[in-house]
Amino acid sequence: MTVRRDFQEPARCRPDLVIGREDLCAGAREQLASGGSVLLHGPAGIGKSTVLRALAEEYGATARTVLRCSATESESHLPFLALADLFGLVLDDVAPRLPLAQRTALESALTGRGESSLQRDGLALRLAVLSALRALAGHGGVLVVADDLQWLDPASAELLGFAARRLEGTPVQLLCAVRTEGTGSQEYDRYLRACPPDTLAVRLGPLTRAQVAQLLDHRGHGGLPRSTVREIHRTSGGNPLFALELGRALADRPTPPRPGEPLPVPTSLRALVLSRLDMLSVEARRTLLVASAGARPTMALLHAAGRDNAEAECAQAAELGLLATEPDAPAVRFAHPLISAALYAEAPAPERRAAHAALSTAASDPIERARHLALATTGTDPEVAARLAEAAALARDRGAPSVAAHLGLLAARHTPAEGAPSPQERRLQAAEDAITAGEIDLARDIAREVLARTSVPAERVRAWIIVIDSAGHTMAEVDAVFPQALADAGDDPRLLALVHYQLAWRALIVEGDFTEARQAAAHAAELAARGEDRRTEQLALAFQAQTETLMGHPDAPRTIKRALKEPQDPKVAWHHNGAGSARFRWLVMSDQLTEARATVTALLREVRRRGSVESEVHFLRGLAETELRAGHCGRALELARESLRLARDSGIGETASAMLTSLAEASGGDVDRALALAREAVEHAEEDGDQMYLSRALGALGYAQLVAGDPAGTVRSLRRVRALELALGITDPARGRWQGDLAEALVRIGEPAEAQDVIDSSREHALRLGRESVLAVLDRSEALVRAAQGDLEAAVAQLTSAQDRLGKLGYGLEEARAAFALARLRGGRPGATAYDQATRMFRRCRALPWLRQVDESLTAPEPEPGPAVPEALDALQVLAAMERQVAALVMEGATNREIAARLFISVKTVEATLTRVYRKLGIRSRVDIVRLAAARRAR
């Protein structure tokens, strides 16, 4: 394809726009940093020039000389033009250093004076270019930046290639870009042979859907619905230039495309293919139009649609590069999705309708037949609308809610105003399908349209509920909707139940009031029962059960049983807010991990079958959490990352997925990424006013900080969690399981008294609710408190017991953490049995960050020197008076704050004094001071 210059990327470097190329750029940077050369290649518009400019700006600063050229197709016939671009500004510097024959030939070629040519001055010119580069390299590094190598004039290309092949051992690097259409190596091999031997070839491929969305956002098109972004990605094939042109065309259009309509293809992109389309015969072009209108065109489909000469006409299109040739494949595939889109956009409306009419009888799938019938029909038609509604129901049953939503909108368009069901009812069903498919923007737009069209209370309340649902965890933004929804509901218990169920969620998310949320859910369940709406009753009971579980309310098991009573609505049974989900949460918190895994796995399988994106995101997180509790960190990390990818793609549950992925990264992946994700989750929860997930996000942040070796940061984060949960009324310590981490971090910063307070208050609730794993973790933390206070024997016994109980409960990672704490307490060194056991356990869990902590403990320098205990005690005498006082109070078990109060100094002064004590005594922590005290008592 020939890319017109009037819409290519601007020449100015925009490194902030190098999107989706992080790994490729990293490899290129490493190659350039090591002194090598790089050849970027890929199809037109894929972003080669953008990446080239970013790399040239970054590495050009390190080179003494940068030579640049950028060729164009229209100038490729001018000999030595690229050579003039490269050497024109440095000719005066290098010419005096060249032999006379070489200087004369080079000056003649660059200035146009004389009649220099490769035929006449071939050897002199080749040697001149090589000598010029070597002369420049003699004063420092040289970077040659050449874009669009395919348009280099042949003479310049030959000279540059000759020199490049002979530059080994000189500080001359090439950074080049060339257009290649295929994925094979043969297209760029000839360019690679013209580069230095150590050149790295980097192919730029298509962007992912998320990267296209990011690119559009960077260029001011971030307000597009996600469904539209998905269509842009499909039509552009992930090509950034094509995606941007499509985005611009949509921005200039006053209304978005209607369901079933393709994206508008701007003239700038149509020009890429229309010249070749003009070379087709009229009949071949009609055949290709039918193929572009079909979802999965094949030769058989084209024949059934009346295209009798499809083979010959498709062969003609393939010769022109419009179709991909795949001899063994039955599908008719366009060389690029943009060709299909441009062909369809260029066709007159009557011809499009004729193509769809042919396909409405030719297609074998009833969903496809109905879609084509709708696109071939103008105006309202009850029969067409009914067929579309049936097709939407079939798509829904097949687990294709997105298809169902778009078919439902087509059905509404063809439904007469007085029809039954009404057009608005069909629109509302389409909006609910869109929510199931994760197309939140589309659902909200449909609901707003219904509210503008209808005065029927049931339709209006249903539309208001969709608006609220589409807000997700940003419910504070739709506060004004609730009074309007209540007014439209009147005194109808079925409609009121729908609104009060949403009010229960609002109480939890916006107000952070579990008590009010529970009461609102119970009231919604009563209203639904009165109105004989079993579906809403089940949802309300499931929500009430989840709230009671988190509150530690004794009625939780009883409410779950009520929600699970027959009759069951199948949509609620697998829904992420249904009774099955509530039961799963109760199982996880009750330490029944095996049953919890089986339950959530079955739920995940069902929602995937039905195509419910939000529920899939939710249950992926649930399964990841279960695997994490069981100590399967690698599997948990895979599931969490999958959940986060799906959440980011759909815009659903991003905060919760970021939080859970942070926990998984801190346990089995990258700690820096864990910290970044946790901070992102905290920021989003605060922005959304989401009290429920703010405490969970802070809990993830505190854990990541603990793994990262920042106990002070852990304390700051988890103290906030403690205050938040107290205000929210959350008493079940199994909800966030942060209490042990807070206590451990408090011990590390010298606050054992506060750590014991956290343990005591948490243990009271854990005992009441029978949370055995929480009790074992609290015992592990309490053992650290005892060790800090000098009671090493009791600490070892308590840690051993906690490790054994956690192992029996199936909490592999927590068991390994107990073994690690035991090894640290015993002061083992390399080869010690305790450390070996912790290493084996962490390795079995694939807990890489924790394994690194073990390695750091093993490789830490020994306290120097290793004196006998009496000598170590004598060493206290070398401390200054203040240092001896602080050390003595530590031996008594005093916290830093208590020491500061007793000595009338600041906590920071205590910390600084302890640092000096550790250095003078050759020890590393308060625990070592306590050991000295214990040894003194033993004497």
Side-chain angles (χ1 to χ4, degrees):
M1 294 182 183
T2 300
V3 181
R4 284 171 42 192
R5 284 284 169 182
D6 59 354
F7 62 86
Q8 281 190 329
E9 294 291 324
R12 185 168 62 89
C13 180
R14 294 284 301 277
D16 59 309
L17 296 182
V18 181
I19 291 169
R21 308 300 189 192
E22 291 80 7
D23 292 341
L24 293 177
C25 285
R29 286 191 184 98
E30 185 177 341
Q31 175 75 358
L32 291 169
S34 65
S37 298
V38 172
L39 174 67
L40 305 171
H41 66 101
I46 204 67
K48 302 180 298 298
S49 297
T50 302
V51 174
L52 182 98
R53 288 194 297 270
L55 292 171
E57 182 173 283
E58 183 175 349
Y59 283 91
T62 64
R64 186 179 187 278
T65 305
V66 179
L67 307 177
R68 300 175 186 269
C69 70
S70 183
T72 62
E73 184 179 14
S74 61
E75 299 170 340
S76 60
H77 66 285
L78 299 174
F80 305 124
L81 183 61
L83 199 67
D85 287 342
L86 289 171
F87 291 103
L89 297 178
V90 297
L91 181 60
D92 292 342
D93 293 335
V94 299
R97 287 177 272 173
L98 301 180
L100 180 60
Q102 295 179 21
R103 181 169 70 245
T104 301
L106 185 59
E107 288 176 342
S108 178
L110 296 185
T111 62
R113 294 191 295 270
E115 297 180 359
S116 180
S117 69
L118 277 181
Q119 285 184 333
R120 197 181 75 178
D121 304 316
L123 181 59
L125 272 173
R126 287 174 172 85
L127 293 175
V129 172
L130 179 59
S131 299
L133 289 171
R134 285 174 173 167
L136 291 170
H139 296 283
V142 177
L143 179 65
V144 178
V145 182
D147 199 2
D148 284 320
L149 284 183
Q150 74 279 0
W151 303 134
L152 249 63
D153 62 275
S156 297
E158 167 61 27
L159 294 170
L160 186 59
F162 175 86
R165 291 189 293 270
R166 291 162 175 82
L167 286 171
E168 190 172 2
T170 62
V172 178
Q173 298 172 265
L174 268 65
L175 173 58
C176 306
V178 63
R179 179 182 304 177
T180 54
E181 294 298 334
T183 57
S185 63
Q186 64 275 12
E187 282 198 69
Y188 67 90
D189 266 355
R190 62 190 181 96
Y191 298 103
L192 195 59
R193 287 194 294 270
C195 292
D198 62 348
T199 300
L200 172 70
V202 178
R203 177 172 178 79
L204 275 69
L207 299 180
T208 66
R209 188 188 305 168
Q211 290 162 351
V212 165
Q214 187 182 359
L215 177 64
L216 291 168
D217 185 54
H218 267 281
R219 292 300 184 89
H221 306 307
L224 295 171
R226 290 178 186 272
S227 55
T228 303
V229 173
R230 279 195 286 271
E231 187 62 21
I232 288 175
H233 177 259
R234 188 195 67 78
T235 303
S236 68
N239 184 296
L241 176 63
F242 299 167
L244 285 171
E245 288 300 305
L246 291 167
R248 289 190 185 106
L250 284 167
D252 294 339
R253 183 169 170 158
T255 57
R258 300 171 74 183
E261 289 183 348
L263 294 179
V265 180
T267 305
S268 56
L269 292 185
R270 291 190 202 183
L272 296 176
V273 295
L274 291 183
S275 59
R276 279 180 283 171
L277 288 173
D278 290 340
M279 300 171 67
L280 288 172
S281 67
V282 173
E283 291 303 314
R285 187 160 178 161
R286 286 175 181 167
T287 295
L288 258 63
L289 176 59
V290 174
S292 70
R296 292 173 296 277
T298 62
M299 285 296 174
L301 179 65
L302 294 177
H303 281 298
R307 307 312 302 167
D308 296 334
N309 296 319
E311 284 86 355
E313 289 158 355
C314 287
Q316 182 187 357
E319 288 177 5
L320 293 171
L322 297 168
L323 293 180
T325 54
E326 297 178 8
D328 299 329
V332 176
R333 189 169 66 83
F334 285 89
H336 192 282
L338 185 64
I339 297 173
S340 173
L343 173 64
Y344 190 94
E346 189 69 13
E351 290 187 18
R352 291 190 211 171
R353 287 196 294 271
H356 285 296
L359 289 167
S360 68
T361 57
S364 59
D365 185 83
I367 292 176
E368 276 301 292
R369 289 200 301 271
R371 184 179 74 87
H372 289 301
L373 179 61
L375 295 173
T377 306
T378 58
T380 60
D381 187 320
E383 184 179 346
V384 171
R387 284 187 59 182
L388 284 163
E390 290 171 4
L394 180 58
R396 199 176 302 120
D397 290 341
R398 287 182 179 178
S402 178
V403 175
H406 288 83
L407 289 169
L409 286 176
L410 288 172
R413 188 199 305 176
H414 291 286
T415 301
E418 67 281 1
S422 71
Q424 309 318 322
E425 288 181 84
R426 282 182 165 148
R427 285 190 175 91
L428 289 168
Q429 179 61 64
E432 289 166 356
D433 286 330
I435 284 183
T436 301
E439 298 186 21
I440 303 302
D441 296 331
L442 177 61
R444 182 174 53 247
D445 291 344
I446 297 171
R448 294 290 187 188
E449 182 181 357
V450 169
L451 288 166
R453 290 171 177 261
T454 187
S455 58
V456 178
E459 292 176 347
R460 290 186 63 80
V461 170
R462 196 171 161 191
W464 287 126
I465 298 303
I466 292 168
V467 171
I468 295 168
D469 273 342
S470 65
H473 281 252
T474 61
M475 292 186 81
E477 296 178 3
V478 293
D479 258 357
V481 166
F482 289 99
Q484 299 176 72
L486 286 169
D488 284 329
D491 57 0
D492 186 326
R494 290 176 66 92
L495 300 181
L496 286 170
L498 291 171
V499 181
H500 280 278
Y501 172 66
Q502 296 293 341
L503 283 168
W505 276 104
R506 183 193 175 280
L508 184 62
I509 292 173
V510 179
E511 302 297 335
D513 191 330
F514 275 71
T515 301
E516 183 183 341
R518 175 178 177 268
Q519 292 170 350
H523 183 47
E526 292 170 9
L527 288 166
R530 198 188 316 159
E532 299 182 351
D533 179 1
R534 179 60 176 159
R535 180 177 185 276
T536 303
E537 181 187 11
Q538 283 181 289
L539 284 170
L541 286 170
F543 179 78
Q544 180 184 342
Q546 293 219 44
T547 307
E548 289 172 347
T549 299
L550 296 174
M551 295 171 67
H553 198 285
D555 287 348
R558 187 161 50 251
T559 307
I560 291 174
K561 288 181 181 178
R562 287 177 61 199
L564 289 170
K565 279 178 60 177
E566 296 295 338
Q568 285 287 306
D569 185 310
K571 291 182 180 178
V572 177
W574 53 262
H575 195 272
H576 59 278
N577 289 328
S581 180
R583 181 171 179 273
F584 159 70
R585 177 55 48 198
W586 186 81
L587 288 169
V588 168
M589 295 175 68
S590 301
D591 299 326
Q592 300 179 55
L593 295 183
T594 302
E595 193 172 352
R597 182 187 295 108
T599 299
V600 74
T601 300
L603 289 168
L604 180 59
R605 187 185 308 116
E606 181 64 18
V607 299
R608 279 176 165 166
R609 187 183 72 80
R610 294 175 178 269
S612 177
V613 174
E614 184 172 6
S615 293
E616 183 178 356
V617 171
H618 182 89
F619 291 131
L620 275 170
R621 286 199 307 267
L623 184 54
E625 180 184 353
T626 307
E627 298 293 2
L628 197 58
R629 299 279 174 241
H632 305 151
C633 298
R635 174 64 174 151
L637 186 56
E638 291 173 4
L639 291 163
R641 286 174 174 171
E642 185 181 355
S643 169
L644 184 59
R645 281 194 300 270
L646 189 55
R648 293 207 193 288
D649 185 48
S650 63
I652 298 173
E654 291 183 76
T655 301
S657 293
M659 176 275 299
L660 197 279
T661 308
S662 171
L663 290 172
E665 290 282 1
S667 298
D670 186 304
V671 179
D672 289 337
R673 179 163 169 75
L675 290 166
L677 286 169
R679 292 187 176 111
E680 175 191 328
V682 170
E683 181 181 350
H684 286 176
E686 289 176 331
E687 288 176 356
D688 296 342
D690 186 344
Q691 297 297 308
M692 184 172 66
Y693 268 109
L694 178 57
S695 63
R696 295 294 306 274
L698 285 167
L701 178 59
Y703 174 67
Q705 289 167 323
L706 184 69
V707 179
D710 179 16
T714 298
V715 169
R716 286 193 300 272
S717 298
L718 298 187
R719 276 174 176 163
R720 284 187 67 190
V721 177
R722 191 182 188 192
L724 274 170
E725 293 203 352
L726 183 63
L728 291 170
I730 299 173
T731 60
D732 194 333
R735 186 244 183 181
R737 298 177 182 267
W738 49 266
Q739 297 82 0
D741 293 337
L742 175 56
E744 182 175 335
L746 285 165
V747 171
R748 289 195 194 181
I749 67 168
E751 300 289 353
E754 185 181 349
Q756 189 63 54
D757 179 63
V758 170
I759 292 165
D760 291 342
S761 59
S762 303
R763 182 180 282 132
E764 179 183 349
H765 294 297
L767 285 168
R768 173 174 60 84
L769 297 168
R771 304 300 191 223
E772 292 299 327
S773 63
V774 174
L775 289 168
V777 169
L778 292 174
D779 280 354
R780 184 186 69 200
S781 303
E782 189 172 49
L784 302 180
V785 175
R786 290 184 171 180
Q789 294 171 342
D791 194 351
L792 296 180
E793 185 177 345
V796 168
Q798 195 168 17
L799 267 177
T800 304
S801 171
Q803 179 184 336
D804 181 62
R805 286 150 54 206
L806 287 166
K808 289 177 179 177
L809 289 167
Y811 284 76
L813 181 59
E814 299 294 356
E815 178 192 9
R817 287 180 62 181
F820 185 31
L822 199 56
R824 278 175 158 172
L825 204 61
R826 286 171 171 163
R829 301 308 305 162
T833 303
Y835 274 113
D836 289 346
Q837 184 185 35
T839 299
R840 284 196 304 273
M841 288 182 173
F842 282 135
R843 188 172 289 126
R844 184 180 63 203
C845 294
R846 289 178 60 188
L848 302 181
W850 287 103
L851 274 171
R852 283 191 285 272
Q853 287 204 25
V854 175
D855 289 341
E856 289 170 6
S857 297
L858 290 173
T859 57
E862 292 275 5
E864 60 167 54
V869 170
E871 295 174 357
L873 292 173
D874 292 341
L876 290 177
Q877 304 304 315
V878 306
L879 299 178
M882 175 63 74
E883 293 166 352
R884 283 199 303 273
Q885 286 180 289
V886 169
L889 290 171
V890 168
M891 290 177 179
E892 294 176 12
T895 66
N896 286 4
R897 189 173 298 168
E898 290 168 344
I899 295 171
R902 290 173 65 175
L903 298 181
F904 300 100
I905 57 177
S906 70
V907 174
K908 286 188 176 181
T909 302
V910 175
E911 293 170 350
T913 304
L914 279 173
T915 300
R916 294 195 298 274
V917 170
Y918 299 155
R919 186 174 63 250
K920 289 182 179 181
L921 298 183
I923 60 178
R924 290 180 293 172
S925 68
R926 298 170 61 95
V927 174
D928 293 326
I929 296 179
V930 173
R931 286 199 187 102
L932 292 178
R936 174 177 287 175
R937 285 194 295 271
R939 291 173 59 197

